[in-house]
Amino acid sequence: MKLVTAIIKPHKLGNVKEALQEVGIAGMTVTEVKGFGRQRGHTEVYRGTEYKVDFVPKVKIEVLVDETELSGVVDALVASARTGAIGDGKMWVTQLDRVVRIRTGEMDTDAL
Amino acid sequence: MKLVTAIIKPHKLGNVKEALQEVGIAGMTVTEVKGFGRQRGHTEVYRGTEYKVDFVPKVKIEVLVDETELSGVVDALVASARTGAIGDGKMWVTQLDRVVRIRTGEMDTDAL
Amino acid sequence: MKLVTAIIKPHKLGNVKEALQEVGIAGMTVTEVKGFGRQRGHTEVYRGTEYKVDFVPKVKIEVLVDETELSGVVDALVASARTGAIGDGKMWVTQLDRVVRIRTGEMDTDAL
Amino acid sequence: MSSADIAWMLFASALVMLMSPGLALFYGGMVRAKNVLSVFMQVFMCMALGSILWVVVGYSIAFGDSMAGGLFGDPTQHFLLRDLDGIDETVTVIFQMMFAIITPALIIGAFAERMKFSAFLLFTGAWSILVYPVVAHWVWGGGIIDDWFGSLDFAGGTVIHVNAGIAGLVTAVVLGKRTGWPKTAMLPHNLSMTAFGAGLLWFGWFGFNAGSAGAVNMQAVNAFLVTHIAAATASLFWVVAEWVKDGHPTTLGAASGAVAGLVGITPAAGYVGVNGALVIGVLAGVLCYLAVGLKSRFEYDDSLDVVGVHFVGGLLGALLTGFLATQGLSGEEAGFALFGKQLGGVVVTTVYSVLMTFVILFIADALLKGIRSSEEDEVRGLDLGDHKESGYVFTEMGG
Amino acid sequence: MSSADIAWMLFASALVMLMSPGLALFYGGMVRAKNVLSVFMQVFMCMALGSILWVVVGYSIAFGDSMAGGLFGDPTQHFLLRDLDGIDETVTVIFQMMFAIITPALIIGAFAERMKFSAFLLFTGAWSILVYPVVAHWVWGGGIIDDWFGSLDFAGGTVIHVNAGIAGLVTAVVLGKRTGWPKTAMLPHNLSMTAFGAGLLWFGWFGFNAGSAGAVNMQAVNAFLVTHIAAATASLFWVVAEWVKDGHPTTLGAASGAVAGLVGITPAAGYVGVNGALVIGVLAGVLCYLAVGLKSRFEYDDSLDVVGVHFVGGLLGALLTGFLATQGLSGEEAGFALFGKQLGGVVVTTVYSVLMTFVILFIADALLKGIRSSEEDEVRGLDLGDHKESGYVFTEMGG
Amino acid sequence: MSSADIAWMLFASALVMLMSPGLALFYGGMVRAKNVLSVFMQVFMCMALGSILWVVVGYSIAFGDSMAGGLFGDPTQHFLLRDLDGIDETVTVIFQMMFAIITPALIIGAFAERMKFSAFLLFTGAWSILVYPVVAHWVWGGGIIDDWFGSLDFAGGTVIHVNAGIAGLVTAVVLGKRTGWPKTAMLPHNLSMTAFGAGLLWFGWFGFNAGSAGAVNMQAVNAFLVTHIAAATASLFWVVAEWVKDGHPTTLGAASGAVAGLVGITPAAGYVGVNGALVIGVLAGVLCYLAVGLKSRFEYDDSLDVVGVHFVGGLLGALLTGFLATQGLSGEEAGFALFGKQLGGVVVTTVYSVLMTFVILFIADALLKGIRSSEEDEVRGLDLGDHKESGYVFTEMGG
Ligand SMILES: Nc1ncnc2c1ncn2[C@@H]1O[C@H](COP(=O)(O)OP(=O)(O)O)[C@@H](O)[C@H]1O
Ligand SMILES: Nc1ncnc2c1ncn2[C@@H]1O[C@H](COP(=O)(O)OP(=O)(O)O)[C@@H](O)[C@H]1O
Ligand SMILES: Nc1ncnc2c1ncn2[C@@H]1O[C@H](COP(=O)(O)OP(=O)(O)O)[C@@H](O)[C@H]1O
């Protein structure tokens, strides 16, 4: 079992959701986060002083997948989240020991 | 060292917290998230048009545990978060390389 | 590739960001979370009844790093997040299978 | 009425109308975020339904010719406001309509976060016909309280606050506690909303109390002054009391204290002077603060403290008027005799309000197969449960 | 004017001024969080720029001596408010200025969330000179609508709501749909803000309608009463209508319904009685609710329903005045003849407003190389895009 | 006073009272979320404590018979408002009480986010006795400023804005900068709250300025008109100035500009006409905008720009009155002679306010072992630190 995590631009969420559904993903979990990276926030002048806003709003997506689905999911995700502009975000994959569906107690592949 | 992550229904948080305390867990970290899965959100009619609200509020729990505590924690968590209705959520376990308590620099089991 | 995750006190975020930049980290992702641990929240008296507020605001930081950078990052992070008072938080390290930069499709070390 | 009087009364009426949105803020900020809209919706429905019922029969019941020995005014006399006596009576209809709206709205705080919307509508509709205008008739329309006791109630300490406050207690008890209360903290979700609401209530209360003089005169000016003083004093003393007892002064205390002072001065505003206002302010601040603590002791879940603030504050004001009224302003001599009259009015109102509130809830329960929200709706909040809306949408991931 | 009249008119003027901040809340709560400040900013600029333009030429165009056969008032006659006729005319200038502010502000709802701020300023400035005061002149200043038809428009059903409502439709169509609409839900981000805004509009509308009597008299008192009744009734009936049709009663419905009722009664407030107000209230509540549904049918993206509420509500009120006006209050006999006069006023206003709004947008588009925000600004929100500000900063990680 | 005058003054008093909640919104929206309640609490305490002190001695000090050669009014003369001269003086007590509340409340903006609540209470209490009513006596009660210079100060440009503004500077300097300022951005957490607050201040200011005529007359009408024009103009010009200088027009600018214009017109409202109002509006908008930038240059942390808006705006208005007053309205000839009188009033007020504010802070510091919040309280916010409350609870995980 793998966990695919991605940090994306907020307005790409709809796109990514559709793309993942197309490759057969039935669920995902989404968190609002702030990102710091090459893409910097806007500068603001507040009351005469300039400030740099370092943190940019991003969305984090977590998707549990079976090994067999992994490469399809990764490709769909990267393709659907890309704008080509700086700040598109990162994606990473983690190996999991176990996955459980809380409602039924089903494990691993059955839990998805 | 293991990290147990669970996505649960928000109103189950109190329950889960108590259950984990009973099996001896001294800490946890909680995040508000939105879940997308078999359980769908309500439909809204807004100004005459129907919308499906796909994302449902969920709570994510992260608990660092020692290998020896793992199965007790998993069982307690799954039992206390279950309602039996669709949307109860997922739980997964990740292997960690290292855990540090920031205040003291203590490592791994001592860090919990 | 490693993922360094830390739960810290919110007002230490500025410090930590600077410390990480100094050791050459170009990005990070930050989430608001609530922590439950040895440090307890304040008690409130609301309308004549006492309540314990268990969850304390914390900030979660996630940093993707190359193996070679790992120890520098861990040290910088722990040092910059420390106040010495209870509730300073935890830090943990996870092994990753893969990292992708969404904008370019670059992988692993190149993706950072 | 002179032109100046009419201008003044329209101004006062507008201010009293604004108290309803003010109350929505005051109460809305105190509930949990998932129920904020249910509170706004209920207050709006008091404005909408309450006004219509007032026009149809409420005004007639309250101010029509007494029937059945002073039990109520002739309900058909001014049906749809026919046969009003010129501009003066039209102004009275308007001013009093705003009172008829806000009184049932006050009760909302007691049953907040757990009553079905349909049950709320039925309850409020019935209460707006069977309770409020009846008691108003008794005190102000020449009905039995006026007849038997001649109680003084300048702007509605008894008619409005005792009446609504005790009805709140009944609804809280009948509906039962919110799931989790009192173990779980059910903290206000937006206290600046609540504090601003209190400020707006304070503003509107000038219309409420000073407008109750019915004209621009010394009584109106006095009422304006003492209203302000009582609010200020009670706000300060509530804060001081909680600082001493709980260890910290709170914004919620300052806001609640102001409202408690306003409630306390309501029956007395035309009759007491500066000193009386200070006494009422100090006592309303301290005693209402203490009264609010009783709900955890006696385990009735009066969600937003309608009993502690409105019933206790109204009672206090009504009874203290017996001792603090100055003859120059009220034409009555303060003392045990006047106190007795005041007590009479309060007791009759309390008994009737308790009884009728029970009866209405009982019937609503039967008609609607339950008046309490399902546990599911309570857990996810009445905003989604009853109205399919969310109070706050800060991100674009949806509800 | 007597002293009481002046006091009353200043009071009414202050209330109408407050409607603009009220509108900012009403609209601001309905947009997405990322655009809330753009709405507040636009309303503030209507207050700022609109007032200055009124002082410079607007008042003269509306109320100066008719020129060109009643097409407009002499624009230089009261340049910078010179040559006013004493205290009475000064009071009129003040009261009418508040109307001149709020009318263009109403249009904001139609093009919300996608117009460039510079384009907004240019549009609003031009519209405040070329459209509003001209139509005001036609109806109230002795211009062509008054001349040709003698239409009744007590407080601006035609001059304000039909006029702004149809201009809203034009702006919505010209600008095009918001990116994603109607597939993506663009839900209100803060409905208690919207509901409170509606409460404040209701409060201010007492000044708007009852102040339009120009004095403290029976017409003012009547206008106050029927304004309240129509608002209450329309609020209730909108909620009932949506409950029946969509399955749940909403806070947004209660708030929108109240505003629809207020719009509907505006042209009629001095002319109809209680029964007329109830009729207008029921129809405004139900029909405006249905009208709002048309935008998804016809696919024009009127973001906050200016057309459904203001155009339809204003139209309804203006036309119904033809049948519901009572002779005692209006001096006119209700019926088809009066209905014809009303229709005339509405048609002329609609045609002119559509035309001029198109022309102004066209010119603005040419001058500014586009009037629509860039897609980037639309996605991240106009608050950051145009104003480099964020509506809400709840954490200290910054924007 | 005629009935109409009394109705008008009560109306004006209610409006001025509402400015305090309006100020709580205006300031509350500008602080960080963790301090929003501390601001509301402080404003409420100005209303509570300030009113009581006014009743006890404040009114006497301000308007009692001059003692010590015009240094203050006899403090015991109207102790607890005894011996008032009928309805007229009672009305004056009420109206002036609202001024006595808001003046110390204005200072809050300068020391926001870092003063201990106990220190705030002590400071505000002392300032409400030793500074405000004394200066009010000097200007309006026949005291030394009136005596020496005969300065014109229609509604309190000097007594209120210069006085509070410069006191703000002293508190900001004495308390020191907020931890992290100016390196860290301390952005407003809720700008629609601030903008709505500005709208409410604008509304209330009609009572403030037009009520200062003390009757319904041409001066009141004029004050109403020029108040509105100055607010509108300053709002627009602040926005234009920042657009030119910083590259973007902001909501905070529009709101601050309106307030700056209102401050600027305050001393002049009864004395200048439309043209004067436009001049004051333009200058207040541009100069206050520039003045606000000075704090980063000179590194005093005036959290919410009390100095830039109130001191500078008040100064500007007071001095410009010297040149812009029209003889018809003020009975004085504009020019350097009048300017001199104005300058005298401003200088004396500034010197006294600076001195006394220092002294009070010094004593408070000694009595309370420090007036500044602990760093821990500052970091987690004064809401939790002083009041054990949180402004916003959107989820049910608790504080
Ligand atoms: N080293 C990192 N660790 C964790 N998250 C990162 C890291 N670098 C970037 N991110 C996340 O990815 C987002 C985009 O990164 P950025 O460097 O701005 O653009 P890009 O990935 O297109 O080069 C950041 O806002 C942040 O959330
Ligand atoms: N594949 C997945 N990856 C990540 N999170 C998931 C996945 N599937 C479900 N979830 C999370 O679990 C929650 C519950 O899932 P759902 O399918 O609705 O119910 P159940 O687990 O009871 O079948 C979702 O709301 C989502 O947060
Ligand atoms: N077992 C755990 N699993 C996950 N997070 C934890 C765990 N224990 C503590 N934390 C997180 O670390 C924070 C600090 O922990 P706490 O026990 O209060 O202090 P300390 O780490 O200084 O002993 C907590 O608020 C929580 O967010």
Side-chain angles (χ1 to χ4, degrees), chain A residues 7 35-39 58 85-90, chain C residues 27-29 62-64 101 103 112:
Chain A
I7 310 295
F36 170 74
R38 281 180 186 74
Q39 174 206 21
K58 299 278 171 191
I86 210 165
D88 275 352
K90 312 288 179 197
Chain C
M28 59 197 256
T29 299
E62 288 166 301
V63 196
L64 298 163
R101 161 175 289 137
R103 171 164 50 99
L112 297 185

Side-chain angles (χ1 to χ4, degrees), chain D residues 224-309:
Chain D
F224 195 113
L225 178 63
V226 298
T227 296
H228 185 84
I229 293 175
T233 312
S235 180
L236 185 67
F237 277 82
W238 182 305
V239 167
V240 168
E242 65 182 358
W243 205 347
V244 170
K245 193 152 176 293
D246 302 336
H248 44 263
T250 69
T251 317
L252 181 58
S256 309
V259 174
L262 292 163
V263 169
I265 198 70
T266 296
Y271 310 129
V272 305
V274 171
N275 298 341
L278 288 167
V279 171
I280 289 177
V282 172
L283 291 178
V286 174
L287 295 182
C288 291
Y289 162 67
L290 293 173
V292 154
L294 296 179
K295 71 177 180 182
S296 27
R297 174 98 59 93
F298 294 109
E299 299 241 329
Y300 56 90
D301 182 11
D302 171 14
S303 317
L304 314 178
D305 295 304
V306 176
V307 180
V309 173

Side-chain angles (χ1 to χ4, degrees), chain A residues 23-39:
Chain A
V23 297
I25 288 304
M28 60 197 257
T29 298
V30 173
T31 315
E32 284 177 71
V33 299
K34 302 268 180 175
F36 170 74
R38 281 180 186 74
Q39 174 206 21

Side-chain angles (χ1 to χ4, degrees), chain E residues 361-374:
Chain E
L361 290 175
F362 185 84
I363 294 174
D365 193 70
L367 286 177
L368 299 170
K369 307 192 195 329
I371 56 179
R372 182 158 176 155
S373 306
S374 68

Side-chain angles (χ1 to χ4, degrees), chain B residues 13 17 30 32, chain C residues 33-35 41-42 44 51-58, chain D residues 32 184-188, chain F residues 384 389-390 392-399:
Chain B
L13 177 62
K17 193 187 71 181
V30 173
E32 283 178 71
Chain C
V33 299
K34 302 269 178 173
H42 54 289
E44 294 194 18
Y51 295 101
K52 207 155 61 289
V53 178
D54 284 327
F55 291 100
V56 185
K58 298 279 172 193
Chain D
R32 289 165 292 171
T184 316
M186 296 182 179
L187 299 177
Chain F
L384 280 176
E389 296 180 298
S390 297
Y392 303 93
V393 181
F394 288 124
T395 66
E396 282 172 63
M397 296 178 213

Side-chain angles (χ1 to χ4, degrees), chain F residues 266-327:
Chain F
T266 295
Y271 309 128
V272 305
V274 171
N275 298 342
L278 288 167
V279 172
I280 289 177
V282 172
L283 292 177
V286 175
L287 296 181
C288 291
Y289 162 69
L290 293 173
V292 155
L294 296 178
K295 70 179 182 182
S296 26
R297 172 98 58 94
F298 294 107
E299 299 241 330
Y300 57 89
D301 182 11
D302 171 12
S303 316
L304 314 178
D305 294 304
V306 176
V307 180
V309 174
H310 293 277
F311 179 66
V312 174
L315 192 70
L316 199 82
L319 299 182
L320 285 175
T321 301
F323 296 115
L324 298 172
T326 62
Q327 207 163 3

